[in-house]
């Protein structure tokens, strides 16, 4: 008899590279539950607690932390230790008084990015689609699988909304427009931050967006990978160290040597 339904296990060698699990640390990896983010683009809670924060030494310890209802994701208690947290999610641990935002570093990995209690009250969501529901109710779908009814009529696909986590209401929105600051959420330039220069339309194919970073380097990526994070050059969320600027191998080496000599 064949395999029914989705695979319930995940081999360690096939786990996403950005989880940074060692090859010899066992045969299997935690398989994320079904949730708002895709398996290849998420970070299961257990990996965040055990491998990143080192609050747990083992799988079982991480499981016990979650089952004690100590972890909140976007303001909701999550007891599922395999819950797939993803880009822009706010993780709160009230017992330690810490808040984190899942955001990419310039190498394309989710980094431990601590934020203030004030910043933890909101998150940015990219609008994936604007639709019309039954009885002509307009609604938008965001990148973290939220459905928000009766949005501002000016909000269109690829725009970004600022969402109040407690109420679930839209506070502000940013248009997808040239001159705005963006973060790249996929592809070869994952984690880079820059300003939109132009957009090439390719009907029937992928629209290409040209972005320029603060060092003056320009690069191009698909429209689907571009996430607007602020208006003009001011980002609405704090960025991790490195500020989304990719350095060349030589620049990285020079910085490492300079750090050792100090």
């Amino acid at each position: 008899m064949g395999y029914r339904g989705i695979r319930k296990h995940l081999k360690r060698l096939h786990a996403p590279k950005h989880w940074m699990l060692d090859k010899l640390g066992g045969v299997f990896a935690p398989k994320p539950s079904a949730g708002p983010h895709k398996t290849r683009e998420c970070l299961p809670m257990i990996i965040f607690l055990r491998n990143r924060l080192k609050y747990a030494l083992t799988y079982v310890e991480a499981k016990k932390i979650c089952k004690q209802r100590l972890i909140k994701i976007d303001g909701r208690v999550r007891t599922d230790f395999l819950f797939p947290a993803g880009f822009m999610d706010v993780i709160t641990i009230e017992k330690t008084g810490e808040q984190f935002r899942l955001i990419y570093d310039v190498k394309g990995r989710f980094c431990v990015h601590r934020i203030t209690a004030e910043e933890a009250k909101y998150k940015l969501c990219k609008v994936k689609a604007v639709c019309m529901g039954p009885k002509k109710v307009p609604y938008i779908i965001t990148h973290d699988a939220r459905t928000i009814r009766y949005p501002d009529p000016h909000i269109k696909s690829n725009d970004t909304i600022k969402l109040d986590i407690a109420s679930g209401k839209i506070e502000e929105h940013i248009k997808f427009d040239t001159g705005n600051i963006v973060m790249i959420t996929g592809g070869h330039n994952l984690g880079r931050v820059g300003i939109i220069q132009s957009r090439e339309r390719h009907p029937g194919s992928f629209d290409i967006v040209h972005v320029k970073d603060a060092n003056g380097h320009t690069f191009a990526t698909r429209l689907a990978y571009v996430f607007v994070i602020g208006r003009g050059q001011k980002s609405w969320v704090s960025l991790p160290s490195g500020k989304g600027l990719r350095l060349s191998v030589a620049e990285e080496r020079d910085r490492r040597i300079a750090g050792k000599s100090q």
Side-chain angles (χ1 to χ4, degrees):
M1 184 169 159
Y3 203 96
R4 292 172 70 98
I6 59 163
R7 293 272 188 264
K8 296 181 178 59
H9 294 75
L10 176 67
K11 289 283 180 79
R12 190 157 284 223
L13 286 181
H14 298 130
K17 194 58 80 33
H18 65 83
W19 290 3
M20 295 187 292
L21 297 177
D22 47 345
K23 203 163 43 170
L24 302 176
V27 177
F28 293 100
K31 179 168 172 60
S33 307
H37 298 277
K38 295 179 180 178
T39 297
R40 314 296 304 180
E41 297 164 10
C42 76
L43 192 70
M45 244 11 274
I46 178 171
I47 289 182
F48 187 70
L49 291 171
R50 182 186 65 183
N51 299 42
R52 298 288 181 280
L53 295 180
K54 307 280 194 291
Y55 283 173
L57 290 173
T58 61
Y59 183 93
V60 174
E61 283 182 13
K63 191 172 175 178
K64 285 176 179 171
I65 291 172
C66 292
K67 295 296 182 190
Q68 288 176 60
R69 305 179 71 82
L70 299 174
I71 309 295
K72 283 185 176 179
I73 299 178
D74 288 345
R76 298 186 67 166
V77 172
R78 299 289 181 187
T79 56
D80 180 8
F81 56 100
L82 297 173
F83 184 85
F87 186 62
M88 283 291 165
D89 284 0
V90 174
I91 299 171
T92 311
I93 307 175
E94 284 177 355
K95 199 162 192 178
T96 60
E98 290 175 307
Q99 294 92 12
F100 305 91
R101 191 184 299 282
L102 277 192
I103 201 161
Y104 295 112
D105 66 5
V106 80
K107 303 264 185 173
R109 306 170 298 210
F110 283 119
C111 59
V112 176
H113 179 56
R114 286 181 167 80
I115 55 173
T116 60
E118 197 55 44
E119 200 190 323
K121 289 179 182 172
Y122 66 87
K123 69 181 290 192
L124 302 183
C125 300
K126 179 178 177 176
V127 177
K128 285 284 185 190
V130 181
C131 312
M132 189 71 77
K135 298 188 179 173
K136 297 282 176 74
V137 174
Y139 66 94
I140 58 171
I141 300 167
T142 63
H143 81 285
D144 57 351
R146 288 169 192 268
T147 302
I148 301 170
R149 294 164 45 128
Y150 298 109
D152 184 323
H154 294 108
I155 297 174
K156 298 284 180 269
S157 285
N158 303 315
D159 292 355
T160 294
I161 59 167
K162 183 178 177 183
L163 185 90
D164 179 60
I165 287 174
S167 64
K169 297 275 194 307
I170 300 172
E171 290 183 348
E172 279 186 84
H173 72 279
I174 319 166
K175 298 298 290 177
F176 180 89
D177 210 352
T178 53
N180 284 344
I181 187 169
V182 296
M183 185 176 244
I184 308 302
T185 59
H188 199 65
N189 294 303
L190 179 60
R192 293 180 76 172
V193 172
I195 307 289
I196 302 175
Q197 299 298 302
S198 62
R199 170 182 174 177
E200 292 175 15
R201 293 180 189 272
H202 297 281
S205 183
F206 299 101
D207 285 10
I208 301 295
V209 178
H210 291 268
V211 181
K212 187 178 192 176
D213 68 13
N215 287 343
H217 301 305
T218 7
F219 55 94
T221 188
R222 288 182 182 180
L223 175 64
Y225 298 154
V226 178
F227 192 115
V228 183
I229 56 168
R231 199 171 280 138
Q233 299 195 0
K234 176 140 180 40
S235 172
W236 285 7
V237 291
S238 59
L239 296 173
S241 60
K243 304 292 178 198
L245 295 176
R246 179 173 290 175
L247 302 174
S248 68
V249 179
E251 287 170 331
E252 271 186 20
R253 182 200 58 203
D254 295 342
R255 179 172 286 188
R256 208 176 302 122
I257 291 168
K260 282 179 184 173
S261 62
Q262 285 172 1

